[in-house]
Amino acid sequence: MISKSTIDQVYETARVEEVIGDFVSLKKSGSNFKGLSPFTDERTPSFMVSPVKQIWKDFSSGKGGNVVAFLMEHEHFTYPEAIKYLAKKYQIEIEETEQTDEQKEQANERESLYLVSEFAQEYYQNILWDTEPGKAVGLSYFKERGFTEETIRHFGLGYGLDEWDAFTTHALEKGYQLDYLEKTGLTIVKDDPRNPGIKRKFDRFKGRVLFPIHSLSGRVLGFGGRILGNDKKAAKYLNSPESEIYHKSKVLYGIYYAKQAIAKEDNCYLVEGYTDVIQMYQRGIHNVVASSGTALTPDQIRIINRLTRNITVLFDGDAAGVRASLRGVDLILEQGMNVRICTFPEGEDPDSFAKNNAYEDVLAYLEEHAKDFIQFKTSLLAEEAANDPIKKADTIRDIVNSISKIPDRIKREIYVQQCAAMMNISEEVLFNTLAQISRKENTEAKKQERQQQKAFEVVREHPKEAKVDVQFELERKIIEILLLYGKEQQQFEDLVLKENEEGELVLEPEQVEAKVYEKIYLDLQEDEIELTHDQFKIIYYKLMESLNEKDDFQLSAFLNDLDQELVNNISSILMEEEKYNLHNWERKDIYPKEKSGTIAQLVSETILTLRCYLIKKRIYSLQQNTEEESEDNNEVLEEIVNYLQLNKLLNNKLNRVLS
């Protein structure tokens, strides 16, 4: 259990733009930042982050909230996990109260799998450094690969003893449950054929050096293990099996260490294996990740796409491997990303090349030999086709098929021109071929784009008689003011309705000092105004309660006391101006105050505007009543006249201040 003082310090210190920037590539957009949604597959940025308000809003999925809510949504952290992650990031010492046995038992399965994996990482790392077999076998291997001790520790590399159940026995002695050891794949459990009903337990990574695989946030998801013995029956590399926390197709090795460098350099080097990543990183090139020996997947590409639009794929000199890996390039192109390809000399790979060359030489080689994908693919396939016209036709069709994957029409046309020149074929033929390939895909893309655009639109419950629900917008504005400025002390100019010597109603100003939330509450109470929209009403009363009870109101802390639906609604309220603007309010005699004015003006004029609107609604209702003959018509007409006079006074006040 984390102490309240630690939680308060985390909220005061953590910056939402810094934390989210570790996971999503953010670009400055006015006073905010924006980027691609980390929750949906999109090409147009709709993910907004506000440093001033310390909240985020994803308009494509509807999710939003504070920095803790992001970690809970994106990393599937529990609330304590999110707080601990932020405390670690900002070097805040965590004060904890002792957990009861019951609380420990209530930890969910997912968290238990993480804990088991992190325990295993520490265990294998300790074996590597603190035991004779670990140093003699595992550490020696890593050093032979050219890794320094600093690098080995940085990546948390380890070693599993060449014993059947060394890890499993130790884990069980430490109180970890066999069920979770099995579910993470760290332990293999089988029935003993000689003793029915008895389970035999084996370490999956027996006699292997180990590469921990981390999530974007640095949590251990699983392991890759390389065997060092001469057992030809055993696989050279062995990965953790799929589990609740580890999905190979959605993970990139090294992403935790590379994410900041990828965003900073605006480029990601994509390699194949663990040692490629480590050797490149050690050489000083940090923006590098690996697909961990699996075929590249759309999920892996999307992870990179959140950090940069540029990928440089690094291939070794194996021509057959290059040909097979080109399929992954098409997947990258489909995401609208820019792809460059670099191959190393015969017999070299990223690991060996980085090991044998200085940082400046490696960087220069990558810059000089990285080719645009169309240049690389055209030269490679053209060489294979040689003078065979049928193979050449197939090659051209293959290249055009890759071009068709690119969403950007301008890029497609440039690549067609480039391909035509390189393959000595007319652009017209290529464009016709491209049109045939692309027709169906373009139709689907446009359909998806329309659906995505529709999802961005702000949905309103409009009254039948108006295109804009003005009262909805004014109530939203009141909630927004309370969230941002509720505790601020302001000097307000109150308007008091009085009768002058001529018997006319006039508004006379009076200076009143009050907190923003007090002013709003009293004004609404005085006019007996009740918020009409259910969600706003709930938020309003929760806000009033919190603002009244707490001396130091913090938006982030307030959000954590609410359910997720309310959090999403509040983030929409605070960020909505980025996606939605009202138009032509003046035609309805509505004059919303811009935020550039003082807070006191903003508050007073929002309340005045709401009063004007409600008066007009009342006048309209009364006018409907006069259409039917009634003995009370004179009284109704008199009431209408009074409301019209009041409405004129209020609008004059609004116009006077705004002018």
Side-chain angles (χ1 to χ4, degrees):
M1 298 293 288
I2 304 171
S3 68
K4 185 179 184 301
S5 61
T6 299
I7 294 172
D8 290 343
Q9 190 178 356
V10 165
Y11 278 121
E12 290 170 5
T13 308
R15 302 293 303 171
V16 67
E17 68 276 18
E18 293 174 353
V19 175
I20 294 179
D22 289 342
F23 302 90
V24 181
S25 180
L26 299 174
K27 305 293 184 184
K28 192 73 174 170
S29 177
S31 61
N32 298 322
F33 291 89
K34 68 178 180 180
L36 292 172
S37 167
F39 304 109
T40 63
D41 181 12
E42 66 176 11
R43 291 172 182 160
T44 303
S46 70
F47 184 84
M48 309 297 296
V49 178
S50 171
V52 175
K53 301 167 187 172
Q54 282 298 294
I55 61 168
W56 57 277
K57 178 65 182 178
D58 178 21
F59 288 92
S60 64
S61 68
K63 298 175 180 178
N66 59 13
V67 64
V68 171
F70 177 82
L71 292 172
M72 292 174 72
E73 284 284 353
H74 190 270
E75 292 300 295
H76 304 288
F77 284 171
T78 62
Y79 179 79
E81 287 174 344
I83 295 295
K84 287 179 180 178
Y85 173 87
L86 293 171
K88 182 179 179 182
K89 178 178 175 65
Y90 289 96
Q91 299 179 341
I92 298 170
E93 186 176 349
I94 296 176
E95 295 179 3
E96 292 185 333
T97 57
E98 188 65 28
Q99 282 186 307
T100 65
D101 291 339
E102 183 180 355
Q103 287 170 329
K104 289 178 181 178
E105 289 173 6
Q106 289 175 347
N108 61 35
E109 181 171 301
R110 188 181 184 86
E111 176 61 15
S112 297
L113 296 178
Y114 278 126
L115 292 174
V116 166
S117 298
E118 285 159 7
F119 166 77
Q121 192 272 324
E122 291 178 10
Y123 168 83
Y124 287 127
Q125 190 173 24
N126 290 336
I127 292 295
L128 182 76
W129 293 100
D130 300 336
T131 69
E132 288 307 316
K135 289 185 282 188
V137 182
L139 193 57
S140 296
Y141 168 79
F142 287 132
K143 288 185 175 180
E144 287 171 7
R145 296 301 301 250
F147 301 156
T148 65
E149 290 192 1
E150 182 184 0
T151 297
I152 296 168
R153 290 187 186 277
H154 182 75
F155 282 88
L157 306 182
Y159 175 69
L161 293 171
D162 195 7
E163 300 174 11
W164 285 110
D165 60 356
F167 164 74
T168 301
T169 299
H170 182 71
L172 292 173
E173 288 174 352
K174 289 294 183 180
Y176 291 91
Q177 296 178 26
L178 181 61
D179 184 39
Y180 296 126
L181 296 174
E182 184 179 11
K183 286 180 178 178
T184 55
L186 290 161
T187 300
I188 299 171
V189 180
K190 290 184 178 180
D191 291 323
D192 188 338
R194 292 172 296 184
N195 299 291
I198 302 297
K199 299 286 186 181
R200 299 181 67 190
K201 301 176 285 291
F202 308 96
D203 292 351
R204 178 178 295 273
F205 297 112
K206 165 184 172 294
R208 294 177 182 267
V209 289
L210 292 167
F211 302 83
I213 300 168
H214 298 86
S215 69
L216 262 172
S217 64
R219 304 213 75 178
V220 179
L221 305 174
F223 296 86
R226 187 192 192 281
I227 197 165
L228 300 182
N230 297 318
D231 187 353
K232 295 182 179 180
K233 295 181 180 179
K236 182 179 178 181
Y237 276 98
L238 184 66
N239 272 48
S240 293
E242 294 280 309
S243 71
E244 178 69 19
I245 61 173
Y246 179 61
H247 304 281
K248 185 185 293 187
S249 65
K250 298 181 179 181
V251 174
L252 288 162
Y253 180 74
I255 189 67
Y256 171 63
Y257 304 104
K259 59 188 178 184
Q260 291 182 334
I262 292 171
K264 181 180 178 182
E265 301 294 334
D266 198 21
N267 182 44
C268 177
Y269 291 110
L270 180 64
V271 296
E272 185 177 352
Y274 306 122
T275 58
D276 295 327
V277 169
I278 297 172
Q279 200 70 257
M280 292 275 286
Y281 191 97
Q282 180 173 277
R283 186 53 69 201
I285 298 169
H286 294 172
N287 52 325
V288 56
V289 298
S291 57
S292 303
T294 65
L296 194 62
T297 68
D299 285 323
Q300 291 172 329
I301 297 167
R302 278 193 282 271
I303 293 172
I304 299 172
N305 197 10
R306 294 171 195 160
L307 301 169
T308 181
R309 306 286 285 180
N310 305 302
I311 294 182
T312 303
V313 183
L314 306 184
F315 292 133
D316 58 29
D318 179 8
V322 171
R323 188 72 175 80
S325 299
L326 282 176
R327 288 190 293 271
V329 172
D330 286 353
L331 292 176
I332 299 172
L333 293 172
E334 284 180 348
Q335 299 291 328
M337 301 179 73
N338 305 313
V339 189
R340 288 162 65 81
I341 299 170
C342 180
T343 56
F344 291 94
E346 187 72 30
E348 293 269 30
D349 58 22
D351 180 356
S352 63
F353 194 83
K355 179 181 178 181
N356 298 324
N357 292 276
Y359 168 75
E360 293 78 9
D361 295 333
V362 175
L363 211 57
Y365 184 89
L366 295 175
E367 287 295 324
E368 183 180 344
H369 291 82
K371 296 180 181 178
D372 183 86
F373 98 92
I374 195 70
Q375 291 177 312
F376 179 84
K377 192 168 185 177
T378 302
S379 59
L380 177 71
L381 299 182
E383 185 179 329
E384 290 182 1
N387 296 320
D388 188 326
I390 296 176
K391 284 187 176 180
K392 184 176 180 180
D394 289 339
T395 295
I396 293 171
R397 197 169 286 107
D398 192 342
I399 294 169
V400 175
N401 186 63
S402 290
I403 295 173
S404 73
K405 307 292 184 186
I406 302 171
D408 190 304
R409 293 182 62 184
I410 296 175
K411 285 184 182 178
R412 284 204 304 267
E413 183 162 343
I414 292 172
Y415 283 134
V416 165
Q417 293 170 351
Q418 194 174 343
C419 180
M422 294 184 71
M423 300 300 291
N424 193 26
I425 190 170
S426 73
E427 292 179 16
E428 183 180 0
V429 170
L430 293 186
F431 277 119
N432 288 338
T433 306
L434 180 64
Q436 293 172 6
I437 295 173
S438 300
R439 190 171 292 113
K440 183 178 179 182
E441 293 179 357
N442 286 343
T443 302
E444 287 298 317
K446 287 178 181 178
K447 181 180 178 182
Q448 184 178 0
E449 188 176 338
R450 284 195 298 270
Q451 291 173 342
Q452 191 179 65
Q453 188 62 37
K454 187 176 180 181
F456 293 161
E457 294 174 2
V458 181
V459 179
R460 291 284 176 273
E461 293 181 6
H462 297 300
K464 293 181 179 178
E465 69 276 11
K467 291 183 179 179
V468 176
D469 187 341
V470 177
Q471 187 162 352
F472 182 100
E473 297 302 334
L474 289 168
E475 291 182 10
R476 184 190 68 82
K477 178 64 71 176
I478 289 171
I479 298 297
E480 179 185 12
I481 292 169
L482 287 170
L483 287 164
L484 296 177
Y485 315 115
K487 294 292 282 190
E488 295 199 19
Q489 190 84 9
Q490 294 288 320
Q491 190 77 20
F492 294 98
E493 186 181 89
D494 246 358
L495 296 176
V496 181
L497 189 64
K498 294 184 178 179
E499 190 173 315
N500 63 15
E501 294 178 357
E502 287 77 25
E504 298 173 332
L505 289 174
V506 293
L507 287 173
E508 293 186 0
E510 286 186 1
Q511 296 298 317
V512 177
E513 187 170 316
K515 288 186 170 66
V516 168
Y517 83 92
E518 295 171 338
K519 167 69 173 171
I520 290 175
Y521 180 79
L522 291 173
D523 279 2
L524 295 186
Q525 284 288 100
E526 181 182 350
D527 289 346
E528 297 182 352
I529 296 174
E530 183 84 10
L531 300 190
T532 58
H533 295 81
D534 291 340
Q535 288 291 309
F536 291 165
K537 191 182 298 184
I538 295 170
I539 295 169
Y540 174 79
Y541 285 113
K542 286 185 177 293
L543 267 171
M544 284 300 175
E545 180 182 357
S546 183
L547 289 164
N548 189 50
E549 290 180 353
K550 298 179 180 178
D551 294 331
D552 182 23
F553 175 82
Q554 290 187 347
L555 177 58
S556 289
F558 173 71
L559 293 180
N560 274 304
D561 292 333
L562 307 177
D563 62 47
Q564 191 56 46
E565 184 181 359
L566 288 179
V567 171
N568 291 342
N569 286 328
I570 288 173
S571 63
S572 294
I573 290 169
L574 293 175
M575 299 293 286
E576 193 161 312
E577 63 194 55
E578 309 301 331
K579 281 286 176 184
Y580 180 77
N581 292 308
L582 294 178
H583 300 288
N584 300 324
W585 272 28
E586 290 81 359
R587 293 182 184 179
K588 303 175 182 292
D589 296 324
I590 303 295
Y591 301 94
K593 181 68 178 175
E594 296 298 324
K595 288 184 184 177
S596 56
T598 66
I599 296 171
Q601 283 179 313
L602 177 64
V603 173
S604 297
E605 289 163 18
T606 301
I607 299 298
L608 278 173
T609 302
L610 179 57
R611 284 175 173 172
C612 288
Y613 178 74
L614 294 176
I615 287 170
K616 290 188 71 175
K617 282 185 70 174
R618 178 61 179 162
I619 291 170
Y620 177 78
S621 177
L622 290 170
Q623 286 172 338
Q624 296 296 107
N625 291 338
T626 60
E627 292 178 3
E628 299 178 4
E629 292 186 7
S630 170
E631 295 178 359
D632 297 327
N633 266 0
N634 289 336
E635 292 181 11
V636 173
L637 289 171
E638 184 179 347
E639 190 175 355
I640 289 174
V641 170
N642 289 336
Y643 274 123
L644 286 170
Q645 187 179 0
L646 178 58
N647 186 59
K648 181 180 178 181
L649 289 169
L650 292 175
N651 274 286
N652 285 340
K653 172 62 180 175
L654 280 169
N655 286 318
R656 179 180 67 78
V657 176
L658 286 171
S659 61

